[in-house]
Structures are given as C-alpha cells and as structure tokens.
Amino acid sequence: MISSSLAALVLGACAHGPGAAETLPKLASALDAPVASTAQNSENGALVEQVSSEKFLHQMTRGEVAKALGREGEPCGRHPICAKRGFDDEDWYYEVGAEGSTYVRHRPALILGFSRFGKVERTFVLRAPD
C-alpha cells in the first residue's frame, strides 16, 4: 500500500504536464519549423515557457543540450538581449520557429546561461507578442 504522502508526491509530479522526455523533442522539432500562424507561434511560446519553468535543461552540459535539441544554440554575443539580461557571449540563444511565408512576426526565444562548469544554470524566455 502506498503512503498518503508518497501518493500526493506522485500526483503532484503528474499535475505539471508532460515531462522532459516528451517536451524536449517537441522543442527540437519546433526550432526550425516554419511558423504559419499566430496560434503556432503561441504554442511555441508555451513550449519554451514550460521548458524554462520546469527547468528541463538545467544542469545539462552543452553536449547534452545539443543532443536533446538537435543542435547547438547561437552564441549569445550575436543578440543584444543577452547582454541586457546578464548572459555571456558564449551562452546560447535559440529562436523557436523559422520565418514562415505567411507569418513573419517575432518568434519566442530561449536563452541558456552556462556555469563555469559548462552546465545550464539559468534560462530566460523572450516572449513573442500575441
């Protein structure tokens, strides 16, 4: 028989939604997929928010992140928002979604900050306007 505290812990873990094993492949697919609508852009934004808030990439090495997302991020030094948010030039920036033929507005982005040990220690989400 499962104790009530263990059952509450299991139920609480399930209540947050899909886990990293399901969510990270979705993010990997969304990175380069052309965005065709506001709804698709909003879905990408929600996906990025979930990855950040649930800390699915925290404590992963650069190699682990690249494997999980299918590629390395762009160097943060190319994006002024990184410096404004205190990220280093070598941190990674991922814009989610490619410019589509019918949707060319701003897309959400995920910024990953790495520790001196090369592991993700913080994230920042750049939201796309609705």
Side-chain angles (χ1 to χ4, degrees):
M1 182 178 232
I2 297 176
S3 73
S4 61
S5 60
L6 180 58
L9 181 65
V10 170
L11 288 174
C14 295
H16 292 290
E22 184 179 334
T23 305
L24 292 178
K26 284 183 183 179
L27 179 58
S29 294
L31 287 176
D32 298 315
V35 178
S37 68
T38 303
Q40 182 183 0
N41 206 42
S42 293
E43 289 172 16
N44 288 347
L47 190 59
V48 170
E49 295 259 352
Q50 181 186 8
V51 167
S52 179
S53 68
E54 298 288 332
K55 299 185 177 191
F56 288 154
L57 297 171
H58 279 245
Q59 296 304 310
M60 283 189 177
T61 64
R62 291 177 187 271
E64 291 168 336
V65 171
K67 183 177 178 182
L69 298 183
R71 65 177 168 89
E72 294 182 354
E74 294 178 26
C76 241
R78 296 181 187 170
H79 303 276
I81 188 71
C82 291
K84 288 180 185 176
R85 293 294 174 173
F87 287 87
D88 295 328
D89 289 347
E90 299 80 29
D91 289 333
W92 285 357
Y93 179 97
Y94 288 95
E95 189 169 65
V96 182
E99 187 174 296
S101 60
T102 59
Y103 189 86
V104 295
R105 294 179 64 198
H106 173 77
R107 291 167 305 280
L110 176 65
I111 302 172
L112 303 179
F114 293 89
S115 70
R116 64 185 178 129
F117 302 108
K119 293 186 176 188
V120 176
E121 68 178 356
R122 67 188 183 114
T123 60
F124 178 79
V125 173
L126 184 59
R127 295 182 53 101
D130 292 330

